[in-house]
């Protein structure tokens, strides 16, 4: 983009050895702010480890702003190319099992000797050490072990998974945060370090106040369905033409809600006067509110409640999300040109910077699309590259 300021991470080179979702999510955070990402892949893999095609929505959303190099890390020549890349890199992100990376000679202890400034980031299911370190990690397993499924869903329904891979995504975002902290620290010490994140740790961290209820107060949270577990009345309410969310936290907002419902006397009912009473009598209170909300359309209530200072909003299907005027204003759906798919919209970043915002500059790469260019940057000539290809190294 002509005249645009340099991207904030453009001085960093990142080697992406990750597969599936958590690792690619971490690297995407860096790539969207301009880091030079080299995605190192085995040749012949036309279907991603997530099961999606390279030209499918999932792969395209995960791997934009990256270059692809095919490389056989098990071959001596491939290992030599990899070491040359490591020597020049600032960051490496991987999600191999501990025994596999040690066998390949690409563990932190080995690569730190080669490049002491390297920030080496690992994402695993359960951690790099401990009794579960060798178990395969999967998002839903982490959701269950991390407690999330026990508090999701309707009371008595049994465990319910969340509709997105929240453990994967959280682990990736936490890992990216750790990488950025390590890069900042390197500016002082001159040394890299090992950054670790796991699906299990990330999922537990995302429990936040629900975890604190147990750790501090000794409470075991249970399923509360669409009701907020501690702020009542907050939840889903029927309207004449569908459902809406209403969030009423605290006595003052509850009084506003009652006035907006044309039932100010509800706020003075002894059964609902305090947060503790509203929690105790939540079912009766929700029923009283819903008896009123189902007499008007959703849009009418949303406008009425928000004007009264009561948080309320629609419950969208995904296509409706991206049609909303505020979502369009935020610009979180961003377009990028793909050589065969044409102009494609992807999900942008949820944080913006005033001078150096994230950018979607290139679509997700074809397998090995940049192999020749990257090898030339390492000093290989065309004949050498052709030989490497003939021998199956790249």
């Amino acid at each position: 983009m002509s005249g645009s300021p340099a991207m904030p991470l453009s001085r960093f080179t990142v080697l992406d050895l990750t597969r599936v979702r958590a690792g690619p999510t971490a690297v995407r955070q860096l790539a969207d702010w301009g880091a030079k990402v080299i995605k190192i892949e085995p040749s012949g893999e036309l279907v991603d480890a997530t099961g999606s095609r390279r030209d499918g929505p999932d792969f395209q959303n995960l791997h934009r702003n990256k270059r692809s190099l095919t490389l056989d890390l098990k071959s001596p020549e491939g290992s030599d190319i990899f070491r040359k890349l490591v020597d020049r890199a600032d960051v490496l992100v991987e999600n191999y099992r501990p025994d596999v990376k040690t066998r390949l000679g690409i563990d932190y202890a080995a690569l730190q000797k080669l490049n002491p400034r390297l920030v080496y980031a690992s994402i695993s299911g359960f951690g790099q050490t401990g009794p579960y370190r060798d178990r395969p990690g999967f998002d839903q397993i982490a959701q269950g072990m991390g407690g999330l499924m026990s508090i999701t869903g309707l009371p008595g329904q049994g465990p319910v998974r969340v509709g997105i891979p929240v453990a994967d995504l959280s682990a990736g975002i936490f890992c990216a945060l750790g990488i950025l902290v390590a890069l900042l620290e390197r500016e002082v010490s001159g040394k890299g370090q090992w950054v670790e994140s796991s699906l299990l740790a990330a999922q537990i961290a995302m429990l936040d106040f629900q975890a604190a209820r147990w750790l501090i107060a000794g409470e075991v949270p249970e399923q509360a369905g669409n009701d907020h577990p501690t702020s009542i009345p907050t939840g889903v309410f029927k309207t004449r033409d569908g459902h809406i969310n209403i969030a009423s936290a605290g006595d003052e907002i509850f009084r506003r809600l009652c006035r907006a419902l044309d039932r100010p006397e509800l706020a003075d009912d002894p059964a609902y006067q305090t947060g503790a009473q509203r929690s105790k009598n939540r079912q009766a209170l929700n029923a009283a509110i819903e008896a009123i909300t189902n007499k008007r359309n959703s849009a009418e209530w949303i406008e009425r409640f928000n004007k009264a200072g009561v948080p309320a909003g629609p419950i969208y299907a995904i296509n409706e999300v991206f049609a909303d005027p505020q979502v369009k204003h935020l610009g979180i759906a961003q377009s990028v040109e793909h050589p065969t798919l044409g102009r494609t919209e992807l999900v942008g970043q949820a944080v913006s910077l005033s001078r150096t915002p994230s950018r979607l500059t290139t679509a997700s790469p074809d397998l090995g699309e940049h192999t020749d260019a990257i090898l030339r940057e390492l000093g290989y000539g065309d004949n050498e590259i052709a030989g490497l290809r003939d021998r199956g190294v790249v």
Side-chain angles (χ1 to χ4, degrees):
M1 192 179 295
S2 178
S4 298
M7 296 291 282
L9 301 183
S10 60
R11 66 187 184 277
F12 299 116
T13 296
V14 178
L15 304 182
D16 181 3
L17 287 165
T18 67
R19 306 177 74 208
V20 193
R21 188 175 312 282
T25 296
V27 178
R28 179 177 63 189
Q29 299 301 105
L30 309 177
D32 282 3
W33 270 280
K36 299 180 181 71
V37 174
I38 298 173
K39 180 172 170 56
I40 299 174
E41 308 180 79
S43 60
E45 197 168 76
L46 297 179
V47 177
D48 183 57
T50 61
S52 64
R53 291 176 52 87
R54 293 184 77 93
D55 60 358
D58 197 8
F59 189 92
Q60 288 299 309
N61 198 52
L62 270 175
H63 298 290
R64 73 277 188 110
N65 292 341
K66 302 177 184 180
R67 296 195 295 166
S68 172
L69 164 74
T70 51
L71 189 63
D72 180 6
L73 293 173
K74 297 177 183 177
S75 72
E77 288 179 295
S79 178
D80 184 57
I81 292 170
F82 177 71
R83 291 171 69 84
K84 290 178 181 178
L85 289 167
V86 169
D87 188 54
R88 298 179 177 207
D90 297 284
V91 177
L92 181 148
V93 188
E94 61 83 23
N95 58 357
Y96 285 98
R97 292 200 320 270
D99 61 316
V100 173
K101 62 190 169 206
T102 302
R103 188 167 66 247
L104 289 172
I106 61 172
D107 55 298
Y108 175 66
L111 299 187
Q112 186 267 342
K113 295 174 184 176
L114 181 63
N115 179 356
R117 289 177 54 81
L118 182 69
V119 172
Y120 184 107
S122 297
I123 300 182
S124 61
F126 305 99
Q128 298 296 309
T129 57
Y132 301 158
R133 70 167 226 162
D134 293 321
R135 287 189 182 183
F138 193 81
D139 176 83
Q140 187 156 337
I141 306 301
Q143 285 194 33
M145 291 181 67
L148 183 62
M149 292 175 67
S150 75
I151 56 173
T152 303
L154 300 171
Q157 181 178 4
V160 178
R161 69 178 291 275
V162 173
I164 60 169
V166 63
D168 274 336
L169 298 174
S170 301
I173 293 170
F174 282 132
C175 183
L177 173 62
I179 290 167
L180 293 173
V181 172
L183 288 172
L184 284 171
E185 193 279 337
R186 191 180 73 170
E187 293 181 0
V188 177
S189 68
K191 299 176 182 178
Q193 57 184 304
W194 193 2
V195 176
E196 296 181 36
S197 179
S198 71
L199 273 63
L200 181 59
Q203 181 60 83
I204 294 170
M206 291 298 288
L207 290 177
D208 197 65
F209 80 96
Q210 295 281 45
R213 290 174 67 187
W214 162 249
L215 292 173
I216 296 172
E219 301 175 11
V220 178
E222 298 179 350
Q223 291 169 310
N226 289 319
D227 291 334
H228 191 281
T230 59
S231 296
I232 293 101
T234 292
V236 174
F237 295 88
K238 290 181 182 178
T239 66
R240 188 161 57 192
D241 61 350
H243 296 82
I244 61 172
N245 274 318
I246 303 172
S248 175
D251 293 341
E252 176 54 33
I253 295 181
F254 179 59
R255 287 190 173 277
R256 294 178 201 165
L257 171 64
C258 293
R259 290 194 294 268
L261 291 167
D262 294 326
R263 289 287 306 278
E265 69 277 7
L266 274 177
D268 296 316
D269 189 315
Y272 311 135
Q273 275 186 324
T274 67
Q277 287 298 105
R278 291 192 291 275
S279 180
K280 179 181 178 181
N281 300 296
R282 74 165 68 203
Q283 290 186 350
L285 178 56
N286 286 348
I289 293 171
E290 195 163 84
I292 303 167
T293 58
N294 65 18
K295 295 178 180 178
R296 296 176 188 247
N297 290 342
S298 296
E300 295 177 67
W301 281 122
I302 290 167
E303 182 178 5
R304 185 183 181 98
F305 288 141
N306 279 289
K307 282 184 177 179
V310 177
I315 300 172
Y316 285 147
I318 303 299
N319 60 311
E320 295 172 313
V321 171
F322 291 98
D324 184 276
Q326 183 65 27
V327 175
K328 289 183 176 181
H329 172 77
L330 292 174
I332 198 165
Q334 298 181 23
S335 61
V336 67
E337 285 292 336
H338 188 277
T340 56
L341 297 174
R343 197 161 189 80
T344 304
E345 282 196 319
L346 304 173
V347 183
Q349 291 290 338
V351 59
S352 61
L353 280 65
S354 61
R355 289 189 296 104
T356 54
S358 61
R359 291 186 213 148
L360 273 59
T361 55
T362 60
S364 296
D366 286 338
L367 182 65
E369 179 180 343
H370 306 95
T371 296
D372 289 9
I374 293 169
L375 291 175
R376 290 190 188 101
E377 291 168 9
L378 294 175
Y380 289 85
D382 289 349
N383 290 336
E384 291 175 293
I385 294 171
L388 290 168
R389 184 165 280 111
D390 289 342
R391 294 188 292 277
V393 178
V394 298

